[in-house]
Amino acid sequence: MKTAAHQLLNCPFEGVTKKIYLESKVWELMSLLIDEELRQQDVERSPNYLTAEVIERIHYAKEILLQQLDTPPSLPNLARKVQLNECTLKQGFRQVFGETAFGCLHNHRMERARQLLIAGEVNVSEAARKVGIANRGHFAAAFRKKYGVLPSQYLRQRRNSG
């Protein structure tokens, strides 16, 4: 939701295109809000069968993923490391964090890459490599999907506004 709001406030278009873009971002925000509300209702209705120990292991799994952004373990290896079966890890991760393990990994990769780009520490290719995405085209597409602009455009916008 933060990303959509940021994109709404920093519209890169003018005229009719701007109007259409802004309307689409408002619809996107509304759908995200509705989705969040439905997820919350599902969590409240679903039985909380996770023990404190399992929740602790799921948090540990998230730590492992975030520490190894560039070379994350596979789901079976992650489950083995935290001593849970895959099914419990997948369901528990979604219940505890509201997203899949690798959805979480992807979001943190994109955020880390954005931070690297903002800091001016690396170029686009290096940012992709540092977060474990070897293909620059895949990185650019994922970045654009998350932030609404290509990484190179994002950098230009940051330089022009800063």
Side-chain angles (χ1 to χ4, degrees), residues 39 62 65-66 69 72 75 78 90 93-94 97-111 142 146:
R39 284 178 192 244
K62 183 177 181 179
L65 285 176
L66 299 185
L69 283 180
L75 196 60
L78 182 61
K90 288 189 326 191
F93 207 95
R94 185 176 287 279
F97 299 112
E99 61 185 344
T100 65
F102 288 98
C104 174
L105 173 68
H106 176 74
N107 288 332
H108 282 277
R109 279 178 161 171
M110 291 298 105
E111 181 58 26
K146 178 133 177 95

Coordinates of all heavy atoms in Angstrom, one line a residue, residues 39 62 65-66 69 72 75 78 90 93-94 97-111 142 146:
R39 N -8.1 -10.7 4.4 CA -7.1 -11.5 5.0 C -7.2 -11.5 6.5 O -7.1 -12.5 7.2 CB -5.7 -11.1 4.6 CG -5.3 -11.5 3.2 CD -4.0 -10.9 2.9 NE -3.7 -11.0 1.5 CZ -2.7 -11.7 1.0 NH1 -1.9 -12.4 1.8 NH2 -2.5 -11.8 -0.3
K62 N 12.3 -16.7 8.7 CA 12.4 -15.4 8.1 C 13.7 -14.8 8.2 O 14.3 -14.2 7.3 CB 11.3 -14.5 8.6 CG 11.2 -13.1 8.0 CD 10.1 -12.3 8.5 CE 10.0 -10.9 7.8 NZ 8.9 -10.1 8.3
L65 N 16.1 -16.3 5.7 CA 15.8 -15.8 4.3 C 16.4 -14.4 4.2 O 17.0 -14.0 3.2 CB 14.3 -15.7 4.0 CG 13.6 -17.0 3.7 CD1 12.1 -16.8 3.6 CD2 14.2 -17.7 2.5
L66 N 16.2 -13.5 5.2 CA 16.7 -12.1 5.1 C 18.2 -12.0 5.1 O 18.8 -11.1 4.6 CB 16.0 -11.2 6.1 CG 14.5 -11.2 6.0 CD1 13.9 -10.2 7.0 CD2 14.0 -10.9 4.6
L69 N 19.7 -13.1 1.3 CA 18.9 -12.6 0.2 C 19.5 -13.0 -1.1 O 18.8 -13.3 -2.1 CB 18.9 -11.0 0.2 CG 18.0 -10.3 1.2 CD1 18.1 -8.8 1.1 CD2 16.5 -10.8 1.0
P72 N 19.3 -17.6 -1.1 CA 18.4 -18.2 -0.2 C 18.3 -19.7 -0.3 O 18.5 -20.3 -1.4 CB 17.0 -17.6 -0.5 CG 17.1 -17.3 -2.0 CD 18.6 -16.9 -2.2
L75 N 12.9 -24.2 -0.2 CA 11.9 -24.4 0.8 C 12.2 -25.6 1.6 O 12.1 -25.6 2.9 CB 10.5 -24.4 0.2 CG 9.4 -24.2 1.2 CD1 9.5 -22.9 2.0 CD2 8.0 -24.3 0.6
L78 N 15.1 -24.9 3.9 CA 14.7 -23.9 5.0 C 13.9 -24.6 6.0 O 14.2 -24.5 7.2 CB 13.9 -22.8 4.3 CG 13.4 -21.7 5.3 CD1 14.6 -21.0 6.0 CD2 12.6 -20.7 4.6
K90 N 5.1 -23.4 5.3 CA 4.3 -22.6 4.3 C 3.1 -22.0 5.0 O 2.8 -20.8 4.9 CB 4.0 -23.4 3.1 CG 5.2 -23.8 2.3 CD 4.9 -24.4 0.9 CE 3.8 -25.3 0.8 NZ 3.8 -26.1 -0.5
F93 N 4.0 -19.6 7.9 CA 4.6 -18.3 7.4 C 3.5 -17.4 6.9 O 3.5 -16.2 7.3 CB 5.6 -18.6 6.3 CG 6.6 -17.6 6.2 CD1 7.9 -17.8 6.8 CD2 6.4 -16.4 5.5 CE1 8.9 -16.8 6.7 CE2 7.4 -15.4 5.3 CZ 8.6 -15.6 5.9
R94 N 2.5 -17.9 6.2 CA 1.4 -17.1 5.7 C 0.6 -16.6 6.9 O 0.1 -15.5 6.9 CB 0.6 -17.9 4.7 CG -0.5 -17.0 4.1 CD -1.3 -17.7 3.1 NE -0.6 -17.9 1.8 CZ -0.5 -17.0 0.9 NH1 -1.0 -15.8 1.0 NH2 0.1 -17.3 -0.3
F97 N 3.0 -14.0 8.9 CA 3.4 -12.8 8.2 C 2.4 -12.3 7.2 O 2.7 -11.2 6.6 CB 4.8 -13.0 7.6 CG 5.8 -13.3 8.7 CD1 6.4 -14.5 8.7 CD2 6.2 -12.3 9.6 CE1 7.4 -14.8 9.7 CE2 7.2 -12.6 10.5 CZ 7.8 -13.9 10.6
G98 N 1.4 -13.1 6.8 CA 0.4 -12.7 5.8 C 0.9 -12.8 4.4 O 0.4 -12.1 3.5
E99 N 2.0 -13.5 4.2 CA 2.6 -13.7 2.8 C 3.4 -15.0 2.8 O 3.7 -15.5 3.9 CB 3.4 -12.5 2.4 CG 4.7 -12.2 3.3 CD 5.4 -11.0 2.9 OE1 5.2 -10.4 1.8 OE2 6.2 -10.5 3.7
T100 N 3.7 -15.4 1.6 CA 4.5 -16.7 1.5 C 5.9 -16.3 1.9 O 6.4 -15.2 1.9 CB 4.5 -17.2 0.1 OG1 5.1 -16.3 -0.8 CG2 3.0 -17.5 -0.4
A101 N 6.7 -17.4 2.2 CA 8.1 -17.2 2.5 C 8.8 -16.5 1.4 O 9.6 -15.6 1.6 CB 8.7 -18.5 2.8
F102 N 8.6 -17.0 0.1 CA 9.3 -16.4 -1.0 C 8.7 -15.1 -1.5 O 9.4 -14.3 -2.1 CB 9.6 -17.5 -2.0 CG 10.6 -18.4 -1.5 CD1 10.2 -19.6 -1.0 CD2 11.9 -18.1 -1.5 CE1 11.2 -20.5 -0.4 CE2 12.9 -18.9 -1.0 CZ 12.5 -20.2 -0.4
G103 N 7.5 -14.8 -1.1 CA 6.9 -13.5 -1.3 C 7.6 -12.5 -0.4 O 8.0 -11.4 -0.9
C104 N 7.8 -12.9 0.8 CA 8.6 -12.1 1.8 C 10.0 -11.9 1.3 O 10.5 -10.7 1.3 CB 8.6 -12.8 3.1 SG 9.6 -12.0 4.4
L105 N 10.7 -12.9 0.8 CA 12.0 -12.8 0.3 C 12.1 -11.8 -0.9 O 12.9 -10.9 -0.9 CB 12.5 -14.2 -0.2 CG 13.9 -14.2 -0.9 CD1 15.0 -13.9 0.0 CD2 14.1 -15.6 -1.6
H106 N 11.1 -11.9 -1.8 CA 11.1 -11.1 -3.0 C 10.9 -9.6 -2.5 O 11.6 -8.7 -3.0 CB 9.9 -11.5 -3.9 CG 9.8 -10.6 -5.1 ND1 10.6 -10.6 -6.1 CD2 8.8 -9.6 -5.3 CE1 10.2 -9.6 -7.0 NE2 9.1 -9.1 -6.5
N107 N 10.0 -9.4 -1.6 CA 9.7 -8.0 -1.2 C 11.0 -7.4 -0.5 O 11.3 -6.2 -0.8 CB 8.5 -7.9 -0.2 CG 7.2 -8.1 -0.9 OD1 7.1 -7.8 -2.1 ND2 6.3 -8.7 -0.2
H108 N 11.7 -8.2 0.3 CA 12.9 -7.7 0.9 C 14.0 -7.5 -0.1 O 14.8 -6.6 0.1 CB 13.3 -8.6 2.1 CG 12.5 -8.3 3.3 ND1 12.7 -7.3 4.2 CD2 11.3 -8.9 3.8 CE1 11.8 -7.3 5.1 NE2 11.0 -8.3 4.9
R109 N 14.1 -8.3 -1.1 CA 15.1 -8.2 -2.1 C 14.9 -6.8 -2.8 O 15.8 -6.1 -3.1 CB 15.0 -9.3 -3.2 CG 15.7 -10.6 -2.8 CD 15.5 -11.6 -3.8 NE 16.5 -12.6 -3.7 CZ 16.5 -13.8 -4.4 NH1 15.5 -14.0 -5.3 NH2 17.4 -14.7 -4.2
M110 N 13.6 -6.6 -3.2 CA 13.3 -5.3 -3.9 C 13.6 -4.1 -3.0 O 14.2 -3.1 -3.5 CB 11.9 -5.3 -4.4 CG 11.5 -6.3 -5.5 SD 12.5 -6.0 -7.0 CE 13.7 -7.3 -6.9
E111 N 13.2 -4.2 -1.8 CA 13.5 -3.1 -0.8 C 15.0 -2.8 -0.6 O 15.4 -1.7 -0.6 CB 12.8 -3.3 0.5 CG 12.9 -2.2 1.5 CD 12.5 -0.8 1.0 OE1 11.6 -0.7 0.1 OE2 13.0 0.2 1.5
A142 N 10.8 -6.9 -12.2 CA 10.3 -7.0 -10.8 C 10.3 -5.7 -10.1 O 9.3 -5.4 -9.3 CB 11.1 -8.1 -10.0
K146 N 7.0 -3.7 -8.6 CA 6.8 -3.3 -7.2 C 6.7 -1.8 -7.1 O 5.9 -1.3 -6.3 CB 8.0 -3.8 -6.4 CG 8.0 -3.4 -5.0 CD 8.2 -4.5 -4.1 CE 8.3 -4.1 -2.6 NZ 7.0 -4.3 -2.0

